[in-house]
Amino acid sequence: MFTRRSSSSVRPIELGRRVVREMDDQRNVDVKGRRIVPNAFDIRLNPRDHQAMIEIGEILRTELAEAAREYAREEGYHFLGPVAVDLHPDEGQKPGRFVVDSHLRQGDSGIGVGTLVMPSGDRVDIGGTPLVVGRLPECAITLSDHNVSRRHAEVAATPNGFVVRDLGSTNGTMVNGARVNGDHRLRDGDIVSFGSTYVRFESS
């Protein structure tokens, strides 16, 4: 994505470099000794550059957010909430120039960021409300997997971190190949299986 050319005079790779530089420049230390970095980025571009970016805007925002998450994992940085990147037109910017405003924005859970990465690559943020996983359409995450029960499991944020709990499913819920009983605390990179469906848990 970052090597793709658009009709803008700003290259996507420049935006990615500036976002991670903002993380380095604005990092801080919280009371637990964790290095906290911004998770909300507003990129202000000249209106012509902004208009030229519209054609790749959605995927660009997604790729910039993913670049920020990857860099945070590499550097051991922590976010207070989900990563968000927005592009805005700004008459004050010259063509080819842009400004990145970064902010710390706390998520609903108040304990950082927890995300389930689905087989499709889609990301589901774990907020203050538990996510029910199952075959029923009313589940927060609906899986068309015959090995998944109607209400299979629940993933939730707790004061001590993110947990997965089985809801009495027929085939059970597993983390890294081991069946879970009760609340199982999730750690960054854990592979959670619901029936035949595998998802990856990521945490800041």
Side-chain angles (χ1 to χ4, degrees):
M1 173 64 213
F2 290 145
T3 61
R4 182 182 302 181
R5 286 191 173 275
S6 73
S7 53
S8 170
S9 55
V10 176
R11 294 184 301 161
I13 194 169
E14 296 177 88
L15 302 180
R17 287 171 178 163
R18 188 72 62 84
V19 164
V20 298
R21 193 169 77 190
E22 274 292 303
M23 295 165 65
D24 287 333
D25 291 345
Q26 303 301 325
R27 67 182 183 270
N28 213 325
V29 179
D30 70 0
V31 294
K32 296 181 180 179
R34 301 178 305 176
R35 293 189 294 172
I36 302 297
V37 294
N39 59 299
F41 305 91
D42 292 311
I43 302 175
R44 296 187 281 116
L45 302 132
N46 177 270
R48 282 188 296 174
D49 288 327
H50 179 265
Q51 182 63 33
M53 288 284 185
I54 287 178
E55 60 189 79
I56 59 170
E58 184 175 349
I59 189 171
L60 177 58
R61 287 191 293 270
T62 299
E63 291 294 328
L64 288 171
E66 182 60 29
R69 284 188 286 263
E70 289 182 4
Y71 189 69
R73 284 194 290 271
E74 291 171 3
E75 297 297 319
Y77 291 158
H78 290 260
F79 297 123
L80 295 180
V83 179
V85 180
D86 287 309
L87 307 176
H88 307 277
D90 182 357
E91 293 282 358
Q93 300 303 316
K94 296 180 180 179
R97 300 292 183 88
F98 62 91
V99 170
V100 177
D101 297 320
S102 59
H103 315 277
L104 295 169
R105 189 173 296 162
Q106 184 167 304
D108 293 338
S109 67
I111 61 169
V113 182
T115 305
L116 295 179
V117 183
M118 307 305 293
S120 63
D122 292 337
R123 309 178 70 90
V124 181
D125 291 329
I126 306 165
T129 303
L131 300 177
V132 176
V133 181
R135 287 204 325 269
L136 292 176
E138 57 264 32
C139 290
I141 299 177
T142 302
L143 301 176
S144 55
D145 179 343
H146 294 300
N147 293 310
V148 171
S149 298
R150 290 180 296 174
R151 285 173 54 87
H152 192 101
E154 187 175 75
V155 182
T158 74
N160 297 316
F162 297 92
V163 300
V164 60
R165 59 179 70 100
D166 189 78
L167 297 178
S169 67
T170 301
N171 295 310
T173 301
M174 298 192 179
V175 176
N176 301 326
R179 192 161 183 154
V180 304
N181 293 299
D183 286 4
H184 181 95
R185 185 172 178 181
L186 295 171
R187 301 185 183 279
D188 184 49
D190 279 350
I191 301 299
V192 186
S193 59
F194 309 107
S196 302
T197 303
Y198 293 81
V199 304
R200 185 174 74 254
F201 171 75
E202 291 185 358
S203 171
S204 67

